[in-house]
């Protein structure tokens, strides 16, 4: 790491460098604290990822003018004698939302959920990159791959037939959907609560462009921890006036994501397979086997 430091501008002022051993990314991640007290996030990737990482870094810059608390890009370049790429970003100081939410009362959980929805709505103001293929074409192709991968993976999910049936019956809703910038992995695992109670968003490593409502496909991780937070996230996004079409599409995106998570988990071992099977069981329960499009945990009007 010493050689790597020497190649990154400003690294001579780095006083603390601590590895971050969490998340699903292949990047090496480090917490940095400089001699002047500045806190940073360093991500190191293989040089083979140069074009993709550069494009992502430039995409995150498009959020610079938004008045929200996010991990912002500082610098990007090549290091490690040409073998690696570095991305340097701002650090958000606080506690992981997934850990702090269970310690809060339902009113505070809901408040943070509303804030999460409002932040997401602001992020979605950034338009999609040019020359995107139609969303219906793109996501229908993804659905076809998802179903094929599940059927070939060899793991049986009880209720998968109901999930697939709902997907097939609601593909038509993908027609003429708008597209915008997407965080790509928007849930409590990528959110920070600061000491003052502000909500910050981190890890844009899976950013993409697509239907803004697809960003709710991983709200299952939020609902697992707090129904109040998950409900607030939906209500905050829509100014507390949620269209019925949203619930039908959210159910479609959750169904597709849940089905794809089964073959995805295989490469990570039995523990992750069990986690995804458990969550799929919960999802089927929330949606009454996809006989309904509004999940049981959703609270439209919480008690003030």
């Amino acid at each position: 790491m010493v050689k790597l430091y020497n190649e990154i501008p400003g690294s001579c002022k780095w006083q603390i460098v601590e590895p971050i051993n969490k998340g699903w990314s292949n990047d090496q991640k480090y917490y940095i604290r400089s001699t002047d007290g500045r806190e940073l996030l360093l991500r190191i990737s293989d040089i083979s990822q140069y074009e993709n990482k550069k494009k992502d870094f430039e995409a995150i810059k498009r959020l610079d003018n938004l008045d929200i608390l996010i991990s912002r890009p500082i610098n990007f370049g090549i290091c490690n004698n040409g073998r690696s790429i570095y991305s340097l970003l701002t650090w958000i100081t606080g506690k992981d939302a997934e850990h702090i939410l269970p310690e809060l009362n339902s009113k505070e959980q809901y408040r943070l959920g509303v804030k999460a929805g409002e932040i997401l709505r602001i992020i979605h103001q950034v338009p999609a990159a040019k020359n995107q293929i139609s969303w219906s074409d793109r996501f229908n192709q993804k659905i076809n791959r998802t179903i094929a991968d599940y059927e070939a993976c060899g793991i049986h999910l009880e209720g998968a037939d109901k999930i697939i049936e709902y997907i097939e019956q609601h593909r038509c809703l993908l027609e003429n959907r708008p597209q915008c910038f997407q965080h790509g992995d928007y849930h409590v695992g990528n959110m920070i609560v600061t000491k003052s109670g502000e909500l910050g968003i981190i890890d844009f490593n899976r950013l993409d462009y697509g239907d803004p409502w697809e960003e709710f496909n991983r709200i299952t991780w939020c609902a697992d921890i707090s129904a109040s937070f998950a409900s607030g996230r939906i209500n905050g996004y829509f100014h507390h006036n949620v269209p019925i079409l949203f619930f039908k599409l959210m159910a479609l995106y959750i169904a597709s994501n849940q089905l794809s998570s089964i073959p995805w988990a295989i490469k990570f071992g039995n523990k992750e397979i069990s986690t995804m099977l458990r969550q799929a069981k919960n999802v089927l329960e929330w949606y009454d086997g996809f006989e309904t499009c509004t999940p049981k945990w959703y609270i439209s009007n919480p008690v003030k």
Side-chain angles (χ1 to χ4, degrees), residues 166 173 213 241-250 293-294:
Y166 183 88
L173 299 180
W213 294 359
N241 186 21
V242 189
I244 188 62
L245 176 61
F246 165 76
F247 286 110
K248 293 179 179 179
L249 268 165
M250 183 176 77
C293 64
T294 304

Side-chain angles (χ1 to χ4, degrees), residues 17 52 90 107 137 177 200 232 254 304:
V17 181
N52 288 335
T90 58
K107 182 178 178 181
D137 286 349
R177 290 297 303 158
I254 287 175
K304 302 254 182 180

Side-chain angles (χ1 to χ4, degrees), residues 185-223:
D185 199 17
Y186 200 80
H187 60 80
V188 288
N190 290 320
M191 297 177 187
I192 301 292
V193 179
T194 68
K195 192 173 183 179
S196 63
E198 191 175 359
L199 190 71
I201 310 302
I202 61 172
D203 202 348
F204 285 76
N205 194 52
R206 290 183 174 85
L207 69 87
D208 202 351
Y209 300 96
D211 180 357
W213 294 359
E214 192 209 3
E215 291 266 50
F216 289 84
N217 64 349
R218 290 176 178 140
I219 200 171
T220 48
W221 297 109
C222 302

Side-chain angles (χ1 to χ4, degrees), residues 58-70:
E58 293 299 321
I60 299 173
K61 284 184 177 180
R62 301 179 69 197
L63 308 179
D64 268 351
N65 294 326
L66 303 181
D67 186 21
I68 52 178
L69 181 59
I70 59 173

Side-chain angles (χ1 to χ4, degrees), residues 31-48:
Y31 164 77
I32 307 291
R33 186 171 183 178
S34 60
T35 53
D36 60 2
R38 196 178 188 194
E39 295 178 297
L40 306 167
L41 170 65
L42 173 68
R43 302 186 75 114
I44 303 294
S45 315
D46 187 80
I47 191 65
S48 63

Side-chain angles (χ1 to χ4, degrees), residues 33-277:
R33 186 171 183 178
S34 60
T35 53
D36 60 2
R38 196 178 188 194
E39 295 178 297
L40 306 167
L41 170 65
L42 173 68
R43 302 186 75 114
I44 303 294
S45 315
D46 187 80
I47 191 65
S48 63
Q49 296 294 310
Y50 180 83
E51 290 300 330
N52 288 335
K53 293 294 182 181
K54 183 180 180 182
K55 187 167 71 172
D56 287 353
F57 192 83
E58 293 299 321
I60 299 173
K61 284 184 177 180
R62 301 179 69 197
L63 308 179
D64 268 351
N65 294 326
L66 303 181
D67 186 21
I68 52 178
L69 181 59
I70 59 173
S71 185
R72 298 183 182 275
I74 298 172
N75 201 2
F76 173 88
I78 296 173
C79 61
N80 196 19
N81 291 321
R83 294 191 293 270
S84 304
I85 315 148
Y86 72 88
S87 302
L88 203 59
L89 305 104
T90 58
W91 179 268
I92 299 177
T93 302
K95 295 182 179 180
D96 292 348
E98 61 185 328
H99 296 147
I100 202 170
L101 278 171
E103 300 173 2
L104 304 175
N105 60 43
S106 59
K107 182 178 178 181
E108 188 63 11
Q109 290 175 1
Y110 185 79
R111 181 191 71 81
L112 287 170
V114 169
K115 187 62 180 177
E118 291 171 347
I119 291 171
L120 186 60
R121 187 176 69 241
I122 292 171
I123 290 172
H124 288 168
Q125 292 174 3
V126 178
K130 295 179 180 179
N131 304 318
Q132 295 288 306
I133 67 170
S134 79
W135 181 245
S136 59
D137 286 349
R138 182 178 167 198
F139 203 81
N140 271 308
Q141 290 172 15
K142 184 176 182 178
I143 286 173
N144 294 340
R145 291 194 303 271
T146 293
I147 294 173
D149 289 348
Y150 166 73
E151 291 177 342
C153 80
I155 296 175
H156 175 68
L157 167 63
E158 187 175 351
D161 56 328
K162 296 178 180 178
I163 293 176
I164 293 172
E165 183 180 5
Y166 183 88
I167 291 171
E168 295 292 2
Q169 289 178 350
H170 292 83
R171 283 181 186 249
C172 58
L173 299 180
L174 300 169
E175 293 290 337
N176 302 314
R177 290 297 303 158
Q179 298 189 66
C180 67
F181 181 99
Q182 295 177 324
H183 175 278
D185 199 17
Y186 200 80
H187 60 80
V188 288
N190 290 320
M191 297 177 187
I192 301 292
V193 179
T194 68
K195 192 173 183 179
S196 63
E198 191 175 359
L199 190 71
I201 310 302
I202 61 172
D203 202 348
F204 285 76
N205 194 52
R206 290 183 174 85
L207 69 87
D208 202 351
Y209 300 96
D211 180 357
W213 294 359
E214 192 209 3
E215 291 266 50
F216 289 84
N217 64 349
R218 290 176 178 140
I219 200 171
T220 48
W221 297 109
C222 302
D224 272 344
I225 292 174
S226 168
S228 295
F229 179 91
S231 300
R233 184 181 150 187
I234 293 171
N235 295 338
Y237 185 88
F238 289 102
H239 301 282
H240 302 270
N241 186 21
V242 189
I244 188 62
L245 176 61
F246 165 76
F247 286 110
K248 293 179 179 179
L249 268 165
M250 183 176 77
L252 172 63
Y253 292 136
I254 287 175
S256 177
N257 191 64
Q258 210 57 64
L259 198 65
S260 68
S261 72
I262 307 302
W264 172 87
I266 292 174
K267 58 181 174 290
F268 297 106
N270 290 333
K271 183 179 178 181
E272 285 309 315
I273 293 172
S274 297
T275 296
M276 293 307 176
L277 288 172

